[in-house]
Amino acid sequence: MADTPEGRRTTYREVLGEPKFRVLFASRSLTIGADTLRTVALSTLIFQATGSAALAALVFGISFLPQLVGGVFLGALADRYSPRMIIVASYLLWTVVTATLGLAQLSTAACLALVGIVACGTPIQAGASSKLVAETLKGDAYVVGRSLWTVAGSVAQLLGMAGGGIAVAVVSPRGALLFTAVCYTVAALMVWIGLRDLPKSPKPEAASASVMSQSWRGNRELLKNREVRVLLLAQCLPPAFVTGATSLLIPYAAMRDFPAGSAGFLLACVPAGMLLGNLIVGRLLRPAHRERLTVHLMLACGVPLLPLALDLPLVAIGALLLVVGFGFAYGLGIQRQFLTATPVPLRGQAFGLLQTVVMTLQGLGPVVLGALTLLFSTGLSMAVAGALTCLTALLYQVVRLRGMDSSRPEANPGDHVTA
């Protein structure tokens, strides 16, 4: 897709008109729904087998920490091999693992270990997919494509959660796992057939080095760049703080004596706001406006959490959480800058590193906020998360005003994405 004229908004129709993006978009949406269904089914299966709510809950977080291993030590694979091969291999691996979970009588420890080991490859697959999107969509089309990517991911997660309970009830947890394996297989076929005309990726000069050493060097090179560091943390810290806050909504609703089902309503407000924010900011605002509103939207992620220390009514809290979700559209003002700041030979690894840091911090967020409740009330702990998000926004604004371009290495003009 050609670069869009500076300042002009790109439409969703134009983005979906690009065949390669359409294949990636459809296959990724299918696998996100499958991931959610797999998690619900496996959690139910483990709870039925053990009666342990803690082990059932562990299923939801078992794939977070292993991604740190994959991103740090294997991230270079995203730039070494064809994106098509990496994505297909990843989906087929999940096919085998999920079918095994559905058919074999494995112990709980073996089920969790299997999911954790395979999750190590998630940053590689995410890096390869994001790199291909960046190569396919240029200028504002890239940002709008990422917006659509986020919207579809949120919808797929919501459908996976809703459909997961129904599927488990109708066909049993093992049947739901086998259906999930079929979904992964279909996604792999979509990518294998739909992306067969991709040009061969040139072999990187460092391909003779071991994957681990190349990954380590690549990560160090990326993190030495001040602009990359700042943009990386700006995209990772607010989601970590907000995830920590939302992880307390169930006990928060119980302690406030809200009606049954209130926690589910509050939990749904954040993703609903995210959908709304990405649609409005991604579709209706011009590129320059998105970037100017970055700090304001980041503050919108944190400021609404501050009043949760007070005894507010349920509807008011839901409205505040809707605004929190809307604020996540701040990422649309950062994505193009992050793409431009990363060296082209390390672009796949850069996206894999971003995925690694996001998922690791989101896994740690609930742990840290949960520990805070030992010192403060649940509402006050959530307000602390809001304050930390606001602090991140203000620090990002200070750094941005001082200018980050001085840390950007020289690059060919063709390596940059234009507006």
Coordinates of all heavy atoms in Angstrom, one line a residue, residues 12 42 133 146 167 261 285 369:
Y12 N -10.8 2.4 7.2 CA -10.7 1.0 7.4 C -10.8 0.2 6.1 O -10.1 -0.8 5.9 CB -11.7 0.5 8.4 CG -11.5 0.9 9.8 CD1 -12.5 1.2 10.7 CD2 -10.2 1.0 10.3 CE1 -12.3 1.6 12.0 CE2 -10.0 1.3 11.7 CZ -11.0 1.6 12.5 OH -10.8 2.0 13.8
L42 N -9.4 -25.0 29.5 CA -8.4 -25.6 30.3 C -8.6 -25.3 31.8 O -8.4 -26.1 32.7 CB -7.0 -25.2 29.8 CG -5.8 -25.8 30.6 CD1 -5.9 -27.4 30.4 CD2 -4.5 -25.3 30.0
V133 N 3.2 -6.4 9.1 CA 2.2 -5.4 9.0 C 2.9 -4.0 8.7 O 2.4 -3.3 7.8 CB 1.4 -5.2 10.3 CG1 0.5 -4.0 10.3 CG2 0.5 -6.5 10.5
R146 N -3.2 -0.8 12.8 CA -3.0 -1.3 14.2 C -4.2 -1.0 15.1 O -4.5 -1.8 16.0 CB -1.8 -0.5 14.8 CG -0.5 -0.8 14.1 CD 0.0 -2.2 14.4 NE 0.3 -2.5 15.8 CZ 0.9 -3.6 16.2 NH1 1.2 -4.5 15.4 NH2 1.1 -3.8 17.5
A167 N -19.5 -23.1 25.1 CA -18.8 -24.3 24.5 C -18.5 -25.4 25.5 O -18.7 -26.6 25.3 CB -17.6 -23.9 23.7
G261 N -23.0 -9.9 40.3 CA -22.7 -9.7 38.9 C -22.1 -8.3 38.6 O -21.8 -8.0 37.5
L285 N -9.8 10.9 13.9 CA -8.8 12.0 14.1 C -7.7 11.9 13.0 O -7.3 10.8 12.6 CB -8.2 11.9 15.5 CG -9.2 12.1 16.6 CD1 -8.4 12.2 17.9 CD2 -10.0 13.4 16.5
L369 N -0.1 -4.7 42.8 CA -1.3 -4.1 43.3 C -1.9 -4.9 44.4 O -2.4 -4.4 45.4 CB -2.3 -3.8 42.2 CG -2.2 -2.4 41.6 CD1 -2.6 -1.3 42.6 CD2 -0.8 -2.1 41.0

